[in-house]
mmCIF file of all heavy atoms in Angstrom:
data_model
loop_
_atom_site.group_PDB
_atom_site.id
_atom_site.type_symbol
_atom_site.label_atom_id
_atom_site.label_comp_id
_atom_site.label_asym_id
_atom_site.label_seq_id
_atom_site.Cartn_x
_atom_site.Cartn_y
_atom_site.Cartn_z
ATOM 1 N N ARG A 1 -154.682 -63.126 -58.362
ATOM 2 C CA ARG A 1 -156.009 -63.451 -57.837
ATOM 3 C C ARG A 1 -157.004 -63.763 -58.947
ATOM 4 O O ARG A 1 -158.026 -64.420 -58.707
ATOM 5 C CB ARG A 1 -156.519 -62.303 -56.959
ATOM 6 C CG ARG A 1 -155.840 -62.276 -55.589
ATOM 7 C CD ARG A 1 -156.237 -61.089 -54.766
ATOM 8 N NE ARG A 1 -157.676 -60.864 -54.727
ATOM 9 C CZ ARG A 1 -158.233 -59.806 -54.144
ATOM 10 N NH1 ARG A 1 -157.450 -58.899 -53.562
ATOM 11 N NH2 ARG A 1 -159.540 -59.652 -54.143
ATOM 12 N N ALA A 2 -156.728 -63.286 -60.157
ATOM 13 C CA ALA A 2 -157.621 -63.588 -61.279
ATOM 14 C C ALA A 2 -157.476 -65.030 -61.758
ATOM 15 O O ALA A 2 -158.379 -65.558 -62.418
ATOM 16 C CB ALA A 2 -157.352 -62.625 -62.431
ATOM 17 N N ARG A 3 -156.368 -65.665 -61.458
ATOM 18 C CA ARG A 3 -156.134 -67.033 -61.932
ATOM 19 C C ARG A 3 -157.259 -67.996 -61.512
ATOM 20 O O ARG A 3 -157.837 -68.685 -62.364
ATOM 21 C CB ARG A 3 -154.793 -67.549 -61.427
ATOM 22 C CG ARG A 3 -153.593 -67.081 -62.225
ATOM 23 C CD ARG A 3 -152.316 -67.575 -61.551
ATOM 24 N NE ARG A 3 -151.145 -67.391 -62.388
ATOM 25 C CZ ARG A 3 -150.700 -68.270 -63.274
ATOM 26 N NH1 ARG A 3 -151.345 -69.404 -63.431
ATOM 27 N NH2 ARG A 3 -149.627 -68.031 -63.984
ATOM 28 N N PRO A 4 -157.572 -68.106 -60.206
ATOM 29 C CA PRO A 4 -158.635 -69.053 -59.840
ATOM 30 C C PRO A 4 -160.011 -68.634 -60.358
ATOM 31 O O PRO A 4 -160.845 -69.498 -60.639
ATOM 32 C CB PRO A 4 -158.594 -69.066 -58.309
ATOM 33 C CG PRO A 4 -157.921 -67.800 -57.917
ATOM 34 C CD PRO A 4 -156.949 -67.508 -59.011
ATOM 35 N N VAL A 5 -160.254 -67.342 -60.504
ATOM 36 C CA VAL A 5 -161.538 -66.886 -61.035
ATOM 37 C C VAL A 5 -161.741 -67.417 -62.449
ATOM 38 O O VAL A 5 -162.838 -67.844 -62.825
ATOM 39 C CB VAL A 5 -161.621 -65.344 -61.021
ATOM 40 C CG1 VAL A 5 -162.893 -64.859 -61.712
ATOM 41 C CG2 VAL A 5 -161.549 -64.814 -59.602
ATOM 42 N N LEU A 6 -160.664 -67.416 -63.250
ATOM 43 C CA LEU A 6 -160.722 -67.857 -64.634
ATOM 44 C C LEU A 6 -160.256 -69.296 -64.823
ATOM 45 O O LEU A 6 -160.178 -69.775 -65.949
ATOM 46 C CB LEU A 6 -159.878 -66.924 -65.510
ATOM 47 C CG LEU A 6 -160.398 -65.487 -65.617
ATOM 48 C CD1 LEU A 6 -159.405 -64.606 -66.371
ATOM 49 C CD2 LEU A 6 -161.759 -65.446 -66.289
ATOM 50 N N HIS A 7 -159.929 -69.977 -63.719
ATOM 51 C CA HIS A 7 -159.497 -71.374 -63.776
ATOM 52 C C HIS A 7 -158.314 -71.549 -64.729
ATOM 53 O O HIS A 7 -158.339 -72.347 -65.666
ATOM 54 C CB HIS A 7 -160.655 -72.282 -64.183
ATOM 55 C CG HIS A 7 -161.815 -72.233 -63.227
ATOM 56 N ND1 HIS A 7 -162.851 -71.334 -63.350
ATOM 57 C CD2 HIS A 7 -162.074 -72.955 -62.110
ATOM 58 C CE1 HIS A 7 -163.713 -71.507 -62.365
ATOM 59 N NE2 HIS A 7 -163.264 -72.484 -61.595
ATOM 60 N N ILE A 8 -157.261 -70.777 -64.446
ATOM 61 C CA ILE A 8 -156.033 -70.829 -65.240
ATOM 62 C C ILE A 8 -155.072 -71.827 -64.593
ATOM 63 O O ILE A 8 -154.916 -71.828 -63.365
ATOM 64 C CB ILE A 8 -155.382 -69.427 -65.308
ATOM 65 C CG1 ILE A 8 -156.345 -68.433 -65.986
ATOM 66 C CG2 ILE A 8 -154.067 -69.465 -66.057
ATOM 67 C CD1 ILE A 8 -155.872 -66.997 -65.911
ATOM 68 N N PRO A 9 -154.410 -72.685 -65.377
ATOM 69 C CA PRO A 9 -153.476 -73.650 -64.790
ATOM 70 C C PRO A 9 -152.398 -72.961 -63.957
ATOM 71 O O PRO A 9 -152.003 -71.832 -64.226
ATOM 72 C CB PRO A 9 -152.861 -74.333 -66.017
ATOM 73 C CG PRO A 9 -153.850 -74.128 -67.109
ATOM 74 C CD PRO A 9 -154.514 -72.816 -66.847
ATOM 75 N N ASP A 10 -151.927 -73.675 -62.943
ATOM 76 C CA ASP A 10 -150.923 -73.125 -62.023
ATOM 77 C C ASP A 10 -149.531 -73.230 -62.651
ATOM 78 O O ASP A 10 -148.659 -73.955 -62.182
ATOM 79 C CB ASP A 10 -150.975 -73.870 -60.696
ATOM 80 C CG ASP A 10 -150.106 -73.192 -59.634
ATOM 81 O OD1 ASP A 10 -149.812 -71.994 -59.808
ATOM 82 O OD2 ASP A 10 -149.737 -73.855 -58.654
ATOM 83 N N ILE A 11 -149.340 -72.484 -63.724
ATOM 84 C CA ILE A 11 -148.070 -72.424 -64.446
ATOM 85 C C ILE A 11 -147.695 -70.954 -64.548
ATOM 86 O O ILE A 11 -148.544 -70.126 -64.869
ATOM 87 C CB ILE A 11 -148.198 -73.034 -65.855
ATOM 88 C CG1 ILE A 11 -148.570 -74.522 -65.760
ATOM 89 C CG2 ILE A 11 -146.905 -72.869 -66.652
ATOM 90 C CD1 ILE A 11 -148.917 -75.151 -67.087
ATOM 91 N N PRO A 12 -146.456 -70.582 -64.250
ATOM 92 C CA PRO A 12 -146.107 -69.155 -64.291
ATOM 93 C C PRO A 12 -146.096 -68.612 -65.719
ATOM 94 O O PRO A 12 -145.842 -69.337 -66.681
ATOM 95 C CB PRO A 12 -144.708 -69.108 -63.680
ATOM 96 C CG PRO A 12 -144.155 -70.477 -63.910
ATOM 97 C CD PRO A 12 -145.316 -71.409 -63.818
ATOM 98 N N PHE A 13 -146.390 -67.329 -65.842
ATOM 99 C CA PHE A 13 -146.254 -66.629 -67.116
ATOM 100 C C PHE A 13 -144.809 -66.134 -67.271
ATOM 101 O O PHE A 13 -144.115 -65.883 -66.282
ATOM 102 C CB PHE A 13 -147.188 -65.425 -67.170
ATOM 103 C CG PHE A 13 -148.635 -65.778 -67.343
ATOM 104 C CD1 PHE A 13 -149.502 -65.736 -66.264
ATOM 105 C CD2 PHE A 13 -149.134 -66.144 -68.583
ATOM 106 C CE1 PHE A 13 -150.847 -66.038 -66.427
ATOM 107 C CE2 PHE A 13 -150.472 -66.454 -68.756
ATOM 108 C CZ PHE A 13 -151.338 -66.406 -67.672
ATOM 109 N N ASP A 14 -144.385 -65.973 -68.521
ATOM 110 C CA ASP A 14 -143.087 -65.373 -68.819
ATOM 111 C C ASP A 14 -141.956 -66.035 -68.046
ATOM 112 O O ASP A 14 -141.062 -65.368 -67.526
ATOM 113 C CB ASP A 14 -143.112 -63.868 -68.517
ATOM 114 C CG ASP A 14 -144.154 -63.135 -69.354
ATOM 115 O OD1 ASP A 14 -144.288 -63.471 -70.543
ATOM 116 O OD2 ASP A 14 -144.820 -62.241 -68.820
ATOM 117 N N ASN A 15 -142.006 -67.350 -67.935
ATOM 118 C CA ASN A 15 -141.006 -68.096 -67.185
ATOM 119 C C ASN A 15 -140.014 -68.721 -68.159
ATOM 120 O O ASN A 15 -140.398 -69.464 -69.064
ATOM 121 C CB ASN A 15 -141.691 -69.171 -66.337
ATOM 122 C CG ASN A 15 -140.718 -69.959 -65.497
ATOM 123 O OD1 ASN A 15 -140.132 -70.919 -65.958
ATOM 124 N ND2 ASN A 15 -140.538 -69.543 -64.252
ATOM 125 N N ALA A 16 -138.715 -68.431 -67.973
ATOM 126 C CA ALA A 16 -137.690 -68.882 -68.909
ATOM 127 C C ALA A 16 -137.619 -70.405 -68.975
ATOM 128 O O ALA A 16 -137.445 -70.989 -70.053
ATOM 129 C CB ALA A 16 -136.333 -68.305 -68.519
ATOM 130 N N ALA A 17 -137.757 -71.074 -67.824
ATOM 131 C CA ALA A 17 -137.664 -72.534 -67.813
ATOM 132 C C ALA A 17 -138.837 -73.165 -68.555
ATOM 133 O O ALA A 17 -138.661 -74.123 -69.322
ATOM 134 C CB ALA A 17 -137.616 -73.036 -66.367
ATOM 135 N N VAL A 18 -140.039 -72.625 -68.333
ATOM 136 C CA VAL A 18 -141.212 -73.151 -69.036
ATOM 137 C C VAL A 18 -141.072 -72.911 -70.528
ATOM 138 O O VAL A 18 -141.351 -73.786 -71.349
ATOM 139 C CB VAL A 18 -142.498 -72.502 -68.487
ATOM 140 C CG1 VAL A 18 -143.709 -72.933 -69.316
ATOM 141 C CG2 VAL A 18 -142.701 -72.868 -67.025
ATOM 142 N N LEU A 19 -140.610 -71.728 -70.891
ATOM 143 C CA LEU A 19 -140.464 -71.391 -72.299
ATOM 144 C C LEU A 19 -139.422 -72.284 -72.969
ATOM 145 O O LEU A 19 -139.623 -72.765 -74.092
ATOM 146 C CB LEU A 19 -140.064 -69.922 -72.444
ATOM 147 C CG LEU A 19 -140.086 -69.345 -73.860
ATOM 148 C CD1 LEU A 19 -141.462 -69.502 -74.489
ATOM 149 C CD2 LEU A 19 -139.676 -67.891 -73.843
ATOM 150 N N ALA A 20 -138.317 -72.537 -72.283
ATOM 151 C CA ALA A 20 -137.273 -73.400 -72.849
ATOM 152 C C ALA A 20 -137.792 -74.821 -73.072
ATOM 153 O O ALA A 20 -137.410 -75.493 -74.034
ATOM 154 C CB ALA A 20 -136.062 -73.415 -71.931
ATOM 155 N N ARG A 21 -138.679 -75.270 -72.188
ATOM 156 C CA ARG A 21 -139.209 -76.631 -72.294
ATOM 157 C C ARG A 21 -140.153 -76.790 -73.484
ATOM 158 O O ARG A 21 -140.350 -77.892 -73.996
ATOM 159 C CB ARG A 21 -139.940 -76.977 -70.990
ATOM 160 C CG ARG A 21 -140.211 -78.451 -70.794
ATOM 161 C CD ARG A 21 -140.610 -78.779 -69.362
ATOM 162 N NE ARG A 21 -141.901 -78.224 -68.970
ATOM 163 C CZ ARG A 21 -142.073 -77.303 -68.026
ATOM 164 N NH1 ARG A 21 -141.026 -76.819 -67.391
ATOM 165 N NH2 ARG A 21 -143.261 -76.868 -67.712
ATOM 166 N N THR A 22 -140.754 -75.693 -73.905
ATOM 167 C CA THR A 22 -141.757 -75.767 -74.966
ATOM 168 C C THR A 22 -141.332 -75.030 -76.230
ATOM 169 O O THR A 22 -142.121 -74.905 -77.162
ATOM 170 C CB THR A 22 -143.081 -75.163 -74.468
ATOM 171 O OG1 THR A 22 -142.865 -73.795 -74.094
ATOM 172 C CG2 THR A 22 -143.609 -75.928 -73.262
ATOM 173 N N ALA A 23 -140.110 -74.520 -76.261
ATOM 174 C CA ALA A 23 -139.675 -73.673 -77.370
ATOM 175 C C ALA A 23 -139.530 -74.483 -78.657
ATOM 176 O O ALA A 23 -139.227 -75.677 -78.627
ATOM 177 C CB ALA A 23 -138.348 -73.007 -77.030
ATOM 178 N N PRO A 24 -139.719 -73.841 -79.809
ATOM 179 C CA PRO A 24 -139.508 -74.522 -81.094
ATOM 180 C C PRO A 24 -138.020 -74.790 -81.319
ATOM 181 O O PRO A 24 -137.159 -74.196 -80.657
ATOM 182 C CB PRO A 24 -140.057 -73.523 -82.111
ATOM 183 C CG PRO A 24 -139.947 -72.188 -81.447
ATOM 184 C CD PRO A 24 -140.172 -72.444 -79.994
ATOM 185 N N PRO A 25 -137.701 -75.642 -82.286
ATOM 186 C CA PRO A 25 -136.290 -76.043 -82.495
ATOM 187 C C PRO A 25 -135.505 -75.035 -83.329
ATOM 188 O O PRO A 25 -134.682 -75.421 -84.142
ATOM 189 C CB PRO A 25 -136.433 -77.384 -83.221
ATOM 190 C CG PRO A 25 -137.697 -77.243 -83.997
ATOM 191 C CD PRO A 25 -138.614 -76.418 -83.136
ATOM 192 N N PHE A 26 -135.752 -73.779 -83.140
ATOM 193 C CA PHE A 26 -134.965 -72.741 -83.798
ATOM 194 C C PHE A 26 -135.070 -71.485 -82.942
ATOM 195 O O PHE A 26 -135.969 -71.351 -82.111
ATOM 196 C CB PHE A 26 -135.450 -72.478 -85.226
ATOM 197 C CG PHE A 26 -136.938 -72.337 -85.369
ATOM 198 C CD1 PHE A 26 -137.566 -71.129 -85.115
ATOM 199 C CD2 PHE A 26 -137.711 -73.420 -85.756
ATOM 200 C CE1 PHE A 26 -138.941 -71.005 -85.242
ATOM 201 C CE2 PHE A 26 -139.090 -73.307 -85.881
ATOM 202 C CZ PHE A 26 -139.709 -72.094 -85.628
ATOM 203 N N GLN A 27 -134.137 -70.577 -83.123
ATOM 204 C CA GLN A 27 -134.032 -69.418 -82.240
ATOM 205 C C GLN A 27 -134.007 -68.133 -83.057
ATOM 206 O O GLN A 27 -133.077 -67.877 -83.814
ATOM 207 C CB GLN A 27 -132.754 -69.516 -81.385
ATOM 208 C CG GLN A 27 -132.549 -68.355 -80.431
ATOM 209 C CD GLN A 27 -133.647 -68.266 -79.384
ATOM 210 O OE1 GLN A 27 -133.899 -69.234 -78.680
ATOM 211 N NE2 GLN A 27 -134.304 -67.116 -79.290
ATOM 212 N N PHE A 28 -135.036 -67.315 -82.884
ATOM 213 C CA PHE A 28 -135.030 -65.992 -83.498
ATOM 214 C C PHE A 28 -134.035 -65.097 -82.764
ATOM 215 O O PHE A 28 -133.674 -65.353 -81.601
ATOM 216 C CB PHE A 28 -136.420 -65.356 -83.429
ATOM 217 C CG PHE A 28 -137.455 -66.041 -84.267
ATOM 218 C CD1 PHE A 28 -138.589 -66.596 -83.680
ATOM 219 C CD2 PHE A 28 -137.327 -66.131 -85.641
ATOM 220 C CE1 PHE A 28 -139.560 -67.226 -84.440
ATOM 221 C CE2 PHE A 28 -138.291 -66.757 -86.418
ATOM 222 C CZ PHE A 28 -139.409 -67.308 -85.819
ATOM 223 N N ASP A 29 -133.596 -64.047 -83.425
ATOM 224 C CA ASP A 29 -132.772 -63.025 -82.784
ATOM 225 C C ASP A 29 -133.605 -62.396 -81.673
ATOM 226 O O ASP A 29 -134.620 -61.748 -81.938
ATOM 227 C CB ASP A 29 -132.365 -61.976 -83.816
ATOM 228 C CG ASP A 29 -131.485 -60.879 -83.224
ATOM 229 O OD1 ASP A 29 -131.395 -60.767 -81.984
ATOM 230 O OD2 ASP A 29 -130.905 -60.111 -84.015
ATOM 231 N N PRO A 30 -133.211 -62.565 -80.391
ATOM 232 C CA PRO A 30 -134.049 -62.074 -79.281
ATOM 233 C C PRO A 30 -134.178 -60.560 -79.235
ATOM 234 O O PRO A 30 -135.046 -60.046 -78.522
ATOM 235 C CB PRO A 30 -133.338 -62.617 -78.035
ATOM 236 C CG PRO A 30 -131.924 -62.848 -78.469
ATOM 237 C CD PRO A 30 -131.996 -63.249 -79.913
ATOM 238 N N ASP A 31 -133.331 -59.843 -79.960
ATOM 239 C CA ASP A 31 -133.505 -58.397 -80.050
ATOM 240 C C ASP A 31 -134.597 -58.014 -81.043
ATOM 241 O O ASP A 31 -134.954 -56.831 -81.135
ATOM 242 C CB ASP A 31 -132.188 -57.724 -80.461
ATOM 243 C CG ASP A 31 -131.185 -57.674 -79.322
ATOM 244 O OD1 ASP A 31 -131.613 -57.780 -78.152
ATOM 245 O OD2 ASP A 31 -129.983 -57.546 -79.604
ATOM 246 N N LYS A 32 -135.106 -59.007 -81.772
ATOM 247 C CA LYS A 32 -136.142 -58.721 -82.766
ATOM 248 C C LYS A 32 -137.460 -59.428 -82.447
ATOM 249 O O LYS A 32 -138.506 -58.799 -82.382
ATOM 250 C CB LYS A 32 -135.654 -59.124 -84.161
ATOM 251 C CG LYS A 32 -134.460 -58.311 -84.651
ATOM 252 C CD LYS A 32 -134.000 -58.781 -86.029
ATOM 253 C CE LYS A 32 -132.818 -57.947 -86.516
ATOM 254 N NZ LYS A 32 -132.324 -58.438 -87.837
ATOM 255 N N LEU A 33 -137.381 -60.747 -82.270
ATOM 256 C CA LEU A 33 -138.586 -61.534 -82.041
ATOM 257 C C LEU A 33 -138.400 -62.429 -80.828
ATOM 258 O O LEU A 33 -137.335 -63.031 -80.656
ATOM 259 C CB LEU A 33 -138.909 -62.394 -83.269
ATOM 260 C CG LEU A 33 -139.192 -61.660 -84.588
ATOM 261 C CD1 LEU A 33 -139.314 -62.659 -85.729
ATOM 262 C CD2 LEU A 33 -140.464 -60.819 -84.478
ATOM 263 N N VAL A 34 -139.416 -62.509 -80.000
ATOM 264 C CA VAL A 34 -139.370 -63.358 -78.811
ATOM 265 C C VAL A 34 -140.649 -64.187 -78.750
ATOM 266 O O VAL A 34 -141.690 -63.789 -79.275
ATOM 267 C CB VAL A 34 -139.214 -62.534 -77.515
ATOM 268 C CG1 VAL A 34 -137.884 -61.815 -77.481
ATOM 269 C CG2 VAL A 34 -140.364 -61.539 -77.359
ATOM 270 N N HIS A 35 -140.553 -65.338 -78.112
ATOM 271 C CA HIS A 35 -141.726 -66.173 -77.927
ATOM 272 C C HIS A 35 -142.394 -65.848 -76.587
ATOM 273 O O HIS A 35 -141.728 -65.668 -75.570
ATOM 274 C CB HIS A 35 -141.344 -67.658 -77.952
ATOM 275 C CG HIS A 35 -141.119 -68.187 -79.324
ATOM 276 N ND1 HIS A 35 -139.867 -68.453 -79.816
ATOM 277 C CD2 HIS A 35 -141.989 -68.489 -80.320
ATOM 278 C CE1 HIS A 35 -139.973 -68.900 -81.060
ATOM 279 N NE2 HIS A 35 -141.241 -68.926 -81.390
ATOM 280 N N ARG A 36 -143.705 -65.788 -76.624
ATOM 281 C CA ARG A 36 -144.503 -65.697 -75.401
ATOM 282 C C ARG A 36 -145.610 -66.742 -75.489
ATOM 283 O O ARG A 36 -146.059 -67.093 -76.569
ATOM 284 C CB ARG A 36 -145.115 -64.300 -75.232
ATOM 285 C CG ARG A 36 -144.080 -63.207 -75.003
ATOM 286 C CD ARG A 36 -144.762 -61.907 -74.587
ATOM 287 N NE ARG A 36 -145.323 -62.009 -73.266
ATOM 288 C CZ ARG A 36 -146.199 -61.133 -72.761
ATOM 289 N NH1 ARG A 36 -146.626 -60.118 -73.511
ATOM 290 N NH2 ARG A 36 -146.670 -61.269 -71.539
ATOM 291 N N TYR A 37 -146.030 -67.231 -74.357
ATOM 292 C CA TYR A 37 -147.091 -68.229 -74.349
ATOM 293 C C TYR A 37 -148.256 -67.738 -73.497
ATOM 294 O O TYR A 37 -148.086 -66.998 -72.534
ATOM 295 C CB TYR A 37 -146.584 -69.579 -73.821
ATOM 296 C CG TYR A 37 -145.930 -69.518 -72.453
ATOM 297 C CD1 TYR A 37 -146.689 -69.593 -71.288
ATOM 298 C CD2 TYR A 37 -144.550 -69.404 -72.311
ATOM 299 C CE1 TYR A 37 -146.099 -69.540 -70.042
ATOM 300 C CE2 TYR A 37 -143.939 -69.346 -71.075
ATOM 301 C CZ TYR A 37 -144.728 -69.412 -69.933
ATOM 302 O OH TYR A 37 -144.143 -69.351 -68.691
ATOM 303 N N ASP A 38 -149.448 -68.127 -73.904
ATOM 304 C CA ASP A 38 -150.625 -67.860 -73.086
ATOM 305 C C ASP A 38 -151.072 -69.160 -72.434
ATOM 306 O O ASP A 38 -150.659 -70.254 -72.826
ATOM 307 C CB ASP A 38 -151.757 -67.271 -73.941
ATOM 308 C CG ASP A 38 -152.212 -68.220 -75.029
ATOM 309 O OD1 ASP A 38 -151.571 -68.263 -76.095
ATOM 310 O OD2 ASP A 38 -153.216 -68.927 -74.809
ATOM 311 N N LEU A 39 -151.908 -69.039 -71.424
ATOM 312 C CA LEU A 39 -152.463 -70.195 -70.731
ATOM 313 C C LEU A 39 -153.978 -70.191 -70.908
ATOM 314 O O LEU A 39 -154.606 -69.134 -70.893
ATOM 315 C CB LEU A 39 -152.107 -70.156 -69.244
ATOM 316 C CG LEU A 39 -150.616 -70.190 -68.918
ATOM 317 C CD1 LEU A 39 -150.382 -69.977 -67.431
ATOM 318 C CD2 LEU A 39 -150.003 -71.529 -69.354
ATOM 319 N N PRO A 40 -154.588 -71.347 -71.061
ATOM 320 C CA PRO A 40 -156.027 -71.392 -71.326
ATOM 321 C C PRO A 40 -156.853 -71.361 -70.043
ATOM 322 O O PRO A 40 -156.522 -72.016 -69.056
ATOM 323 C CB PRO A 40 -156.203 -72.725 -72.048
ATOM 324 C CG PRO A 40 -155.128 -73.594 -71.451
ATOM 325 C CD PRO A 40 -153.962 -72.687 -71.173
ATOM 326 N N SER A 41 -157.935 -70.593 -70.064
ATOM 327 C CA SER A 41 -158.952 -70.764 -69.032
ATOM 328 C C SER A 41 -159.573 -72.142 -69.230
ATOM 329 O O SER A 41 -160.020 -72.480 -70.321
ATOM 330 C CB SER A 41 -160.032 -69.690 -69.160
ATOM 331 O OG SER A 41 -161.149 -70.012 -68.346
ATOM 332 N N GLN A 42 -159.570 -72.943 -68.175
ATOM 333 C CA GLN A 42 -160.099 -74.295 -68.302
ATOM 334 C C GLN A 42 -161.619 -74.337 -68.200
ATOM 335 O O GLN A 42 -162.234 -75.371 -68.482
ATOM 336 C CB GLN A 42 -159.439 -75.201 -67.260
ATOM 337 C CG GLN A 42 -157.936 -75.333 -67.495
ATOM 338 C CD GLN A 42 -157.218 -76.102 -66.414
ATOM 339 O OE1 GLN A 42 -157.508 -75.969 -65.230
ATOM 340 N NE2 GLN A 42 -156.244 -76.916 -66.816
ATOM 341 N N GLN A 43 -162.217 -73.205 -67.798
ATOM 342 C CA GLN A 43 -163.679 -73.083 -67.779
ATOM 343 C C GLN A 43 -164.036 -71.663 -68.215
ATOM 344 O O GLN A 43 -164.354 -70.812 -67.393
ATOM 345 C CB GLN A 43 -164.240 -73.372 -66.388
ATOM 346 C CG GLN A 43 -163.979 -74.794 -65.896
ATOM 347 C CD GLN A 43 -164.691 -75.085 -64.590
ATOM 348 O OE1 GLN A 43 -165.899 -74.982 -64.465
ATOM 349 N NE2 GLN A 43 -163.914 -75.460 -63.586
ATOM 350 N N PRO A 44 -163.998 -71.393 -69.528
ATOM 351 C CA PRO A 44 -164.143 -70.015 -69.993
ATOM 352 C C PRO A 44 -165.570 -69.478 -70.002
ATOM 353 O O PRO A 44 -165.755 -68.261 -70.123
ATOM 354 C CB PRO A 44 -163.575 -70.072 -71.417
ATOM 355 C CG PRO A 44 -163.797 -71.476 -71.859
ATOM 356 C CD PRO A 44 -163.647 -72.315 -70.636
#
């Protein structure tokens, strides 16, 4: 419910498919380092 209040894009958080689409061209050991992405408020 906070998404529309903060005008956050309709993209899921912590989504494997989204992360794979935007991941860098190298892979850290997932037991040590993982990638997470944030989404911008379009009207902060």
Side-chain angles (χ1 to χ4, degrees):
R1 284 175 48 186
R3 279 175 169 271
V5 174
L6 294 173
H7 300 89
I8 299 172
D10 189 21
I11 298 171
F13 287 103
D14 300 320
N15 182 275
V18 174
L19 189 57
R21 196 166 67 245
T22 59
F26 46 83
Q27 180 63 55
F28 293 119
D29 181 346
D31 285 339
K32 295 179 179 178
L33 299 173
V34 295
H35 282 106
R36 294 191 70 194
Y37 55 86
D38 62 277
L39 299 173
S41 168
Q42 296 174 320
Q43 297 187 58

